[in-house]
Amino acid sequence: MPPAPALSHYFTALRQHPPLTHCITNYVAMNSSANVLLALGASPAMLHATEEVDEFVPLSDALSINIGTVSSPWANAMLSATRTARAHNIPWVLDPVAVGATTYRQRLCADLLKHQPRVIRGNASEILTLNGIANPGRGVDSTASAEDAYMAACRLARKQRCIVGVSGDIDLMTDGDSTLRVTGGHTLMPRVTTLGCALSASVAAFMAVADEQPLEATAAAFGCFALAGARAGVKAEGPGSFMPAFLDALYQLTPQDLDQHLSLELIDAL
Amino acid sequence: MPPAPALSHYFTALRQHPPLTHCITNYVAMNSSANVLLALGASPAMLHATEEVDEFVPLSDALSINIGTVSSPWANAMLSATRTARAHNIPWVLDPVAVGATTYRQRLCADLLKHQPRVIRGNASEILTLNGIANPGRGVDSTASAEDAYMAACRLARKQRCIVGVSGDIDLMTDGDSTLRVTGGHTLMPRVTTLGCALSASVAAFMAVADEQPLEATAAAFGCFALAGARAGVKAEGPGSFMPAFLDALYQLTPQDLDQHLSLELIDAL
Amino acid sequence: MPPAPALSHYFTALRQHPPLTHCITNYVAMNSSANVLLALGASPAMLHATEEVDEFVPLSDALSINIGTVSSPWANAMLSATRTARAHNIPWVLDPVAVGATTYRQRLCADLLKHQPRVIRGNASEILTLNGIANPGRGVDSTASAEDAYMAACRLARKQRCIVGVSGDIDLMTDGDSTLRVTGGHTLMPRVTTLGCALSASVAAFMAVADEQPLEATAAAFGCFALAGARAGVKAEGPGSFMPAFLDALYQLTPQDLDQHLSLELIDAL
């Protein structure tokens, strides 16, 4: 296998030109996603009124769509914003939270996928569901392993011509041909709500500086979470002290950390 | 009086089989409720679209309804979800936030009560209001003592055939016949927003493992808050550091703590 | 110049008679605004249903309006609440988040201004936009300096007959004739989301104890943030640990701190 790519320059670019990252996300994740983006060095914007999203999307550098607490007015805003994003070549990321739980979510995701996300970021169950594979996932916690989802991620990436990033015990991201594996993080992370949502928003911010390399830029976002998560886990006494420590670690992270301390592999198969 | 019951096995059961706890709650409390449920060991799910709640409720193990920032679409979702929960025998908990403040809240709670909550969890003012007693409470902070609400709680529990849990300087929970008193917590707790809301969500999670003993399972949830609150209060320097310390303490709490360290009494009257 | 005014008695009054502070604010800021109000000593209430706002506003002591994540039902509630507040002489504060970003926000703010806010609190870009001056601000982060906004703030204050408070590297507040400058805070503050929103809510709480001196009461709220921010900055290791430290510092702040430790100047011009 060739060596894993260097990722530091994506993070350097993000800090030099903070991307205005428009998030239409769930109520639970709004505050933490904004704080994660600010700690990374990006500039968050949360707005969703159908009266203004189409005017705002072209002003932004990237868009993050998360269906966690979606309802009808929000679904309309998401569909409108992603259509506009595609028309203006603004990269957007889909986080299909709990897509397997209800028919409503499956239909909405099917409609959103028509507007060509640059990246889909989910857990194994969600990626399996999007790929049309029945799976026993309930709620927002995945019951399938990342390994189970590897093949599904590759197929989905090829079909949608986008990057698919799978979070779990092992983090994988693929364009359908090349697959990268990021190792790190901490066992407390699944005990803190909305970290996955905030990761999706961070992937969107990195898309603004991806420079035709969306797979590597996605890995840079996952890498920031893996490194900051590991460092926060050392300091934390539980999930409560983890979150402040995680934001501090993201803020203190340097671009060079991605090249020097991240466990990143280009892989063939699991 | 007979001795107070042992509560550890409810907490053991919750950790062994994390209940999927569906919350239709207020915007302020969503993130903290999810984090509290995760720290306890439960699995939170926040969703409220009328297009999907009736499909999701039967998949969940318990439902928590909190009217804090309710508006018309949310009220519709709450009424639909509680009707479905009752039909499927999914236990649900009502948190009647600030029910005394407006006519709109009183009407909504009257409608929700028709769907038979397993538990009502509120402060003294809210319980007094639900019992049809005029009281001077304004906003979300209670101006009546738990003692004032004791009689009201017993009457409400008998009338609604449910558990009523009252939070305040003293925590009481009753089925109308037996009443338990939990002592603990910390004076900083009223200075941290949404702890009461997160307690209601936790009561719902414990209902999933109540095994025909909803009074004791309610006391287990209150007991976790009392113990974790006291421990967090020792570490905290103010309300800001209290919340991370509280989540850490919930996470570190063991089932045995409930039997060995909780001040729990079966009482006759106040 | 005459000496800067003493501000401690506003904070003393707030703690002696906690104002019920009604917030119709954005989803990102709800939790942090409630926690900031509680740490200061005020009593927050978050509700926005058009079915109840007009009944609730007259029960409250102050109202804070923030358009951060506004949509049509929220805009209706804001317009109704501010109309009722004006009719009942309840002081209200406008936070025109990102008003320069879209036509929708500009129209809404123009409509809200007809109901005569007691205070407008924003960053330099927002104040410039409200004053009808084109500016290159995008999103919620200001790209204009407080100095640039000084003249705009004075003009806006005179035109609207209200206080205008501008947050930034330098904090200014003016009634159009007299201008106060507060110095303090910490460089981490712009890296933590919703501090500005929570400041607006705090200004509203101080309006309930302003006693015909809204300029000084506004300065008291800004002063609490400047002092608590500076103290939290000393303790924090990044934006994550800043927020808990900031709430602790607000909670520990004494009224006397405002007179003894705050850098406050009455200024002529910048």
Side-chain angles (χ1 to χ4, degrees), chain B residues 125-145:
Chain B
S125 289
E126 291 157 356
I127 300 305
L128 284 160
T129 298
L130 279 193
N131 210 26
I133 296 167
N135 78 84
R138 299 188 316 167
V140 297
D141 296 316
S142 179
T143 53
S145 70

Side-chain angles (χ1 to χ4, degrees), chain B residues 86 90-96 109 112-122 127 130-131 150-166 172-180 203 207 212-219 222:
Chain B
R86 182 185 176 188
I90 308 286
W92 73 276
V93 173
L94 174 64
D95 188 333
C109 283
L112 287 166
L113 286 175
K114 293 173 191 163
H115 298 156
Q116 298 187 327
R118 194 72 49 93
V119 186
I120 302 168
R121 208 286 319 162
I127 300 305
L130 279 193
N131 210 26
Y150 171 61
M151 292 307 295
C154 291
R155 280 199 298 272
L156 184 62
R158 282 194 290 265
K159 186 178 166 198
Q160 291 289 329
R161 299 173 183 267
C162 71
I163 308 300
V164 175
V166 189
L172 297 174
M173 51 238 66
T174 184
D175 60 9
D177 290 322
S178 301
T179 301
L180 291 165
V203 170
M207 282 308 108
E212 308 291 319
Q213 300 288 346
L215 177 60
E216 294 185 5
T218 299
F222 273 78

Side-chain angles (χ1 to χ4, degrees), chain B residues 8-237:
Chain B
S8 59
H9 60 286
Y10 301 108
F11 199 12
T12 300
L14 184 146
R15 289 218 165 135
Q16 284 177 345
H17 302 286
L20 184 60
T21 308
H22 178 190
C23 301
I24 306 183
T25 187
N26 69 75
Y27 303 117
V28 195
M30 283 192 188
N31 189 279
S32 58
S33 296
N35 273 327
V36 160
L37 289 171
L38 286 167
L40 274 172
S43 184
M46 269 67 180
L47 56 89
H48 67 284
T50 46
E51 288 89 345
E52 65 178 353
V53 285
D54 294 324
E55 185 178 349
F56 190 76
V57 165
L59 304 175
S60 68
D61 298 309
L63 172 65
S64 179
I65 298 287
N66 176 303
I67 67 165
T69 56
V70 71
S71 61
S72 179
W74 288 76
N76 292 339
M78 290 174 187
L79 290 165
S80 194
T82 52
R83 187 184 302 110
T84 301
R86 182 185 176 188
H88 287 80
N89 201 30
I90 308 286
W92 73 276
V93 173
L94 174 64
D95 188 333
V97 179
V99 60
T102 66
T103 313
Y104 178 62
R105 283 166 194 262
Q106 287 154 41
R107 285 185 187 152
L108 174 58
C109 283
D111 286 341
L112 287 166
L113 286 175
K114 293 173 191 163
H115 298 156
Q116 298 187 327
R118 194 72 49 93
V119 186
I120 302 168
R121 208 286 319 162
N123 65 30
S125 289
E126 291 157 356
I127 300 305
L128 284 160
T129 298
L130 279 193
N131 210 26
I133 296 167
N135 78 84
R138 299 188 316 167
V140 297
D141 296 316
S142 179
T143 53
S145 70
E147 290 98 317
D148 295 341
Y150 171 61
M151 292 307 295
C154 291
R155 280 199 298 272
L156 184 62
R158 282 194 290 265
K159 186 178 166 198
Q160 291 289 329
R161 299 173 183 267
C162 71
I163 308 300
V164 175
V166 189
S167 299
D169 290 339
I170 299 171
D171 290 333
L172 297 174
M173 51 238 66
T174 184
D175 60 9
D177 290 322
S178 301
T179 301
L180 291 165
R181 174 160 59 185
V182 164
T183 311
H186 193 268
T187 53
L188 278 173
M189 295 177 86
R191 291 282 119 199
V192 180
T193 196
T194 69
L195 285 181
C197 308
L199 172 54
S200 295
S202 301
V203 170
F206 273 96
M207 282 308 108
V209 293
D211 200 20
E212 308 291 319
Q213 300 288 346
L215 177 60
E216 294 185 5
T218 299
F222 273 78
C224 288
F225 269 57
L227 287 172
R231 292 175 186 184
V234 172
K235 292 202 170 182
E237 295 176 48

Side-chain angles (χ1 to χ4, degrees), chain A residues 18 20 27 30-31 34-35 37-39 41-44 46-49 51-52 55-56 59 61 74 235 244 247-248 251-252, chain C residues 27-29 32 68-72 101-105 138-141 188 190-194 237-242 244:
Chain A
L20 182 62
Y27 302 118
M30 283 192 190
N31 189 280
N35 273 326
L37 289 172
L38 286 168
S43 184
M46 269 71 180
L47 55 90
H48 66 286
E51 289 89 345
E52 64 178 353
E55 186 179 347
F56 191 77
L59 303 176
D61 298 310
W74 288 75
K235 291 203 171 182
L247 292 169
D248 286 354
Y251 178 78
Q252 292 160 0
Chain C
Y27 302 119
V28 194
S32 58
T69 56
V70 71
S71 61
S72 179
T102 66
T103 313
Y104 178 61
R105 284 166 194 260
R138 300 189 314 170
V140 297
D141 297 317
L188 278 171
R191 291 282 120 200
V192 180
T193 195
T194 71
E237 295 175 49
S241 49
F242 183 90

